[in-house]
Amino acid sequence: MKKTLTLFFVVVGLIVFLLSVAPIVVDGKKEQVIITQEVLSGDPGAASGITLAIASHWNRHLLWNTEYTIGDTKITESEFTFSGKPVSWGWERGENANFYFGTAKSALENGKNSSATCAESAFPKIADKVAYRTGDSKYSETVSIAEYYKVYPLIFRMEGSMAKYHCDRDTTEYLSELFHISPAGDRLEVVVERNSDKRPSLVQQRIVREDSPVFLVNLSANAQEGIYYTYRLEAGNREENIDRGQSTGIFFIPYRGEEKARQIELLQMKKSCEFLSDVIPLELKLNKSGDILYLAAKSKGGYSLFVYQLDGGIYLKQEVFLKNIQDTSSYCQMNLVDGGVLLTWNDNQFSFVAEEGGEYFWWCSGIFPQTMGELSEEGGQNPFPRENVLMFDGTRLVLAAFENWENMEVRLVVYNREGELYCGRYKNSQDNVCGLAAGDHIEPQGARLWAPNRAWSAGKDDPIVFPLSLTVIE
């Protein structure tokens, strides 16, 4: 009887689901997805031969793969599939090496730390002294960090990797001397609470500054033989490098052992190369073959891409100055693509560095259309800086991105070295599908980690899908 009832409810649920998606299924099978070109500026002939591929879905069950070739034919081809099981998408998980102020057992996070004992606090020397002076059940005191630590103690954490490492007292001392970051005038507020037997039950620590607490912005790139690492010392999101007499440059942390039993040798961490004094590192990335390391950086003169050759060591191959980038927004990210490197900023600025025969040169910079308006103080961002696709053939640079986070419209722009040649909007008929509930819509496939108000999770083997791509007809 129970099995019969269970089967009955499953069948009823399936019928209800199929009825709810019936209008979409009919549209998906009987009618092709229609892409409509709207010329906004320039000559659409500049984009001739470019094929725009879009992957979309409804409720993770109905899936479309659509292609539209720009040119005289303006043909849209679409393939529809149905999945009885909800489809999930994964994303590339990076391996990140991070250093924090603290000791072997605890670290400051956002300038704060809370622990149950003095020994487990980020600054145990200070916690012990303050606890000794605590007479009441709760006591607070603000002290100079430099009175107890000549340089900030540092601990290491590896994220996204199964590699093992030891970060004990000796390691902390070694790392602290290697980085050599002075506390300067930083002060620490310490609150100690005692329990009924007069032992500390809660130790809270917070760096007190007139401005934001100083912290390390960690940048790393994982190679086969070890980790390349650099950092900047920042107080707030300012793309600055506060001078505390610290050691700066690119460091290398070697691995020992095979991949499944890999050990990170922190006590063998060394500086591989120096920076000029005014260089502010922004992002570090390794190419697929593992022989070129890229560093996006900022200095008094503007933004640059540093290209390092890895050949039994590390040496600076080229510095490419990124022309025509205004210091009006924060840096976003670097993408390694066929034919070069694309760098983006959060206000839709971009700069493209071309590569030919192993040599790199600045090709162009510009501002991709701000389809959702300027970056707001609340953090609202156009999709382009994080989610963009690119095609470069040596004479034209084609960039495309979804216009917003809600629908399927795509903005595509073509540039040459002198500037913009063409800008077009590509409207998608799936934005006007009938039969959907209010607030429900067909949307791009993929995890889309940067979409606002998006809750996501993924399994180990979930496929990685980017919903937009560009190809060219040869």
Side-chain angles (χ1 to χ4, degrees):
M1 184 65 181
K2 289 183 178 179
K3 290 184 179 179
T4 303
L5 285 173
T6 301
L7 181 60
F8 171 76
F9 286 120
V10 169
V11 172
V12 170
L14 181 60
I15 291 172
V16 170
F17 173 77
L18 290 175
L19 286 174
S20 67
V21 304
I24 311 173
V25 173
V26 170
D27 285 344
K29 287 189 173 181
K30 288 190 175 180
E31 297 180 23
Q32 288 287 315
V33 176
I34 303 300
I35 304 296
T36 305
Q37 175 180 271
E38 180 183 354
V39 177
L40 300 177
S41 63
D43 177 14
S48 181
I50 298 295
T51 295
L52 184 64
I54 305 171
S56 57
H57 77 101
W58 179 81
N59 203 31
R60 300 180 182 270
H61 287 280
L62 310 185
L63 310 169
W64 292 266
N65 286 286
T66 303
E67 290 188 352
Y68 176 84
T69 300
I70 302 172
D72 296 334
T73 57
K74 299 178 182 177
I75 296 174
T76 306
E77 295 182 352
S78 185
E79 179 183 330
F80 168 78
T81 57
F82 171 77
S83 174
K85 180 182 178 181
V87 177
S88 295
W89 295 285
W91 60 90
E92 292 184 7
R93 289 170 167 80
E95 297 182 358
N96 302 307
N98 298 311
F99 292 86
Y100 303 95
F101 295 143
T103 59
K105 294 186 178 181
S106 191
L108 286 180
E109 295 184 11
N110 298 319
K112 300 178 182 180
N113 174 259
S114 182
S115 62
T117 67
C118 295
E120 294 174 348
S121 65
F123 300 98
K125 290 181 184 179
I126 298 176
D128 281 335
K129 292 293 184 181
V130 174
Y132 179 79
R133 293 190 284 269
T134 302
D136 301 326
S137 59
K138 186 175 182 179
Y139 177 73
S140 174
E141 185 177 335
T142 300
V143 301
S144 169
I145 297 175
E147 291 181 10
Y148 299 86
Y149 297 92
K150 291 182 180 180
V151 293
Y152 267 116
L154 286 173
I155 66 170
F156 174 80
R157 296 286 184 268
M158 189 71 182
E159 298 177 1
S161 171
M162 298 300 291
K164 297 179 180 179
Y165 55 90
H166 297 292
C167 196
D168 54 17
R169 181 179 297 179
D170 291 341
T171 308
T172 294
E173 291 179 358
Y174 177 80
L175 295 173
S176 301
E177 289 299 324
L178 180 64
F179 282 66
H180 209 270
I181 302 171
S182 170
D186 292 351
R187 296 175 299 143
L188 189 73
E189 180 186 56
V190 184
V191 179
V192 178
E193 295 184 18
R194 292 183 181 274
N195 56 25
S196 57
D197 62 1
K198 302 300 182 180
R199 294 181 180 180
S201 59
L202 180 65
V203 179
Q204 295 177 312
Q205 298 177 329
R206 179 177 68 90
I207 291 182
V208 179
R209 295 183 75 235
E210 293 180 358
D211 208 339
S212 302
V214 171
F215 61 95
L216 284 79
V217 177
N218 296 284
L219 309 170
S220 63
N222 191 51
Q224 185 66 31
E225 66 279 5
I227 304 165
Y228 291 93
Y229 172 86
T230 189
Y231 73 99
R232 65 180 185 267
L233 200 60
E234 195 171 274
N237 186 22
R238 300 178 182 174
E239 289 186 358
E240 61 185 350
N241 202 1
I242 297 173
D243 184 7
R244 291 289 183 84
Q246 66 268 26
S247 179
T248 60
I250 296 178
F251 299 79
F252 181 71
I253 315 170
Y255 287 137
R256 178 170 57 85
E258 298 299 325
E259 187 171 351
K260 292 184 178 180
R262 185 175 283 175
Q263 181 82 27
I264 301 172
E265 298 293 333
L266 289 170
L267 291 175
Q268 295 180 28
M269 180 179 183
K270 305 290 184 184
K271 185 192 292 187
S272 297
C273 66
E274 296 275 358
F275 287 154
L276 296 175
S277 59
D278 67 336
V279 169
I280 303 171
L282 300 173
E283 186 177 8
L284 200 62
K285 212 155 194 175
L286 191 69
N287 69 348
K288 289 182 179 180
S289 58
D291 61 342
I292 298 292
L293 185 68
Y294 302 92
L295 173 71
K298 181 181 178 181
S299 65
K300 293 178 181 178
Y303 291 92
S304 294
L305 177 69
F306 292 85
V307 182
Y308 293 89
Q309 183 73 49
L310 305 178
D311 185 13
I314 177 172
Y315 65 90
L316 180 61
K317 178 183 175 73
Q318 282 183 257
E319 177 186 358
V320 182
F321 181 68
L322 307 179
K323 302 176 185 178
N324 304 328
I325 294 295
Q326 304 299 315
D327 192 11
T328 55
S329 179
S330 57
Y331 171 82
C332 184
Q333 67 179 20
M334 176 197 326
N335 288 329
L336 309 184
V337 297
D338 291 338
V341 182
L342 179 71
L343 302 99
T344 59
W345 282 256
N346 286 318
D347 62 355
N348 278 27
Q349 288 189 93
F350 71 89
S351 191
F352 182 69
V353 174
E355 182 270 331
E356 185 175 346
E359 296 297 314
Y360 295 81
F361 56 95
W362 174 82
W363 202 80
C364 76
S365 296
I367 301 178
F368 192 85
Q370 294 174 321
T371 51
M372 291 180 64
E374 295 183 4
L375 181 69
S376 68
E377 294 181 359
E378 293 75 25
Q381 186 184 54
N382 290 270
F384 169 76
R386 294 283 184 186
E387 287 192 358
N388 57 71
V389 290
L390 175 153
M391 193 288 300
F392 177 65
D393 62 7
T395 60
R396 59 179 176 173
L397 175 70
V398 184
L399 297 174
F402 288 105
E403 293 220 332
N404 57 54
W405 298 103
E406 299 298 328
N407 61 31
M408 300 298 301
E409 286 187 353
V410 173
R411 185 70 62 95
L412 184 142
V413 188
V414 182
Y415 302 87
N416 64 10
R417 298 204 69 177
E418 285 68 48
E420 182 180 308
L421 298 175
Y422 166 69
C423 177
R425 176 186 290 124
Y426 292 84
K427 298 181 178 180
N428 194 312
S429 61
Q430 292 184 317
D431 288 332
N432 302 304
V433 171
C434 300
L436 294 180
D440 198 4
H441 55 275
I442 295 172
E443 57 186 342
Q445 293 182 30
R448 306 200 79 195
L449 301 183
W450 298 100
N453 305 315
R454 176 66 61 93
W456 38 261
S457 62
K460 179 181 178 182
D461 299 320
D462 287 341
I464 297 173
V465 173
F466 193 79
L468 199 60
S469 64
L470 297 173
T471 55
V472 61
I473 300 175
E474 300 293 343

